[in-house]
Amino acid sequence: MLSDIKYLALRLEGPLQSWGCDSQYNRRNTGLMPTKSAIAGMCCAALGYERGGEKEAVFLAEFEGVRMTAIAIPRNGTRRPLAVRRLQDYHTVQNTRRASGSINTDCVLTHRQYLTDASFGIILSGNGDLLDRIAKKLEDPVWGLWLGRKTCIPSAPVLAGLRDTKEEAVKLLIGEASIESLTRQEDVETFAEGKDSLPDRPGSFASDRRMFSPRRVITRHGS
């Protein structure tokens, strides 16, 4: 019997990206790899599921069974490879809501980090029906797709393709290059297999009850 597991390849490329998982409030840092919560949120946007709604809750429960591999893909400029750097910007925000519910009319200064000139490939492996549904909506998303923040617009189509094997999915992103030569971060099945825990498994994106749990990963660096 054929396996119902499929592999969805996503391409995340743009001048700015931001993948926060360890900060909030006035300082918003970015990680060096896309977070699983951001990818889940992108899928919810494509599907048109409202934040904190029942459809989102059902989807996130299904998405728990999806494993993710993130691949850092080098980008070439006109003369040399483009170096990925962190850029720190600041924003002034007024009329923010306090925890008490009141409105703060003073300006609040927030520091926000971005990655510049980064390119990532994402491989999602899991239930074929679920990934097929995601792939179809990524071709014609209900809402906009962003690379972590609304200011971070993709410069290439996010959907690379859906394939029956991981090798075929990886080839959509890096061609004939070896994945072993590139830095990648992978979900692991057991705690002992992992080297780090990231708080980016989404349970709810509701504004008043955002919930995340740890995801165990291992990062492998290219040879």
Side-chain angles (χ1 to χ4, degrees), residues 2-222:
L2 294 176
S3 171
D4 65 349
I5 299 296
K6 288 192 176 182
Y7 299 83
L8 180 61
L10 309 180
R11 182 186 295 106
L12 308 179
E13 187 170 300
L16 292 176
Q17 304 187 31
S18 189
W19 310 107
C21 68
D22 64 349
S23 59
Q24 53 186 329
Y25 306 119
N26 288 24
R27 293 195 176 272
R28 308 289 181 88
N29 299 330
T30 179
L32 296 177
M33 286 285 192
T35 59
K36 195 168 187 177
S37 56
I39 300 304
M42 185 181 294
C43 294
C44 285
L47 291 159
Y49 295 160
E50 292 192 10
R51 188 185 291 267
E54 184 177 339
K55 289 183 178 180
E56 177 199 273
V58 172
F59 173 80
L60 292 180
E62 291 182 282
F63 201 76
E64 272 287 305
V66 173
R67 296 184 63 183
M68 185 175 106
T69 299
I71 308 165
I73 303 174
R75 292 183 64 190
N76 293 322
T78 55
R79 297 183 180 179
R80 61 184 184 277
L82 297 174
V84 177
R85 294 184 172 88
R86 276 187 174 137
L87 167 71
Q88 182 154 303
D89 193 12
Y90 70 90
H91 299 238
T92 54
V93 184
Q94 197 172 21
N95 298 327
T96 57
R97 188 175 296 278
R98 298 187 178 96
S100 63
S102 63
I103 299 297
N104 179 13
T105 57
D106 296 330
C107 281
V108 176
L109 184 67
T110 64
H111 297 264
R112 305 187 185 194
Q113 287 186 347
Y114 300 86
L115 298 179
T116 64
D117 295 321
S119 178
F120 299 102
I122 300 293
I123 303 294
L124 299 177
S125 60
N127 180 271
D129 290 339
L130 173 64
L131 296 184
D132 183 63
R133 178 156 44 100
I134 294 171
K136 288 177 179 176
K137 295 308 295 185
L138 286 172
E139 284 189 303
D140 185 20
V142 176
W143 296 325
L145 306 180
W146 325 109
L147 304 181
R149 293 199 184 114
K150 286 186 178 180
T151 52
C152 304
I153 301 173
S155 60
V158 170
L159 177 65
L162 183 66
R163 293 294 185 267
D164 292 328
T165 68
K166 185 174 183 178
E167 292 72 22
E168 292 173 336
V170 169
K171 190 174 291 188
L172 291 173
L173 298 170
I174 62 174
E176 299 298 329
S178 170
I179 192 173
E180 302 298 325
S181 66
L182 302 176
T183 298
R184 64 264 184 215
Q185 188 177 80
E186 303 169 300
D187 288 355
V188 294
E189 292 188 4
T190 67
F191 187 88
E193 291 179 275
K195 296 294 184 181
D196 199 5
S197 295
L198 304 175
D200 68 347
R201 284 171 53 198
S204 172
F205 290 124
S207 300
D208 60 344
R209 58 179 189 282
R210 290 165 61 86
M211 294 186 297
F212 303 91
S213 56
R215 175 172 65 108
R216 193 69 172 164
V217 300
I218 185 169
T219 301
R220 306 180 192 276
H221 297 282

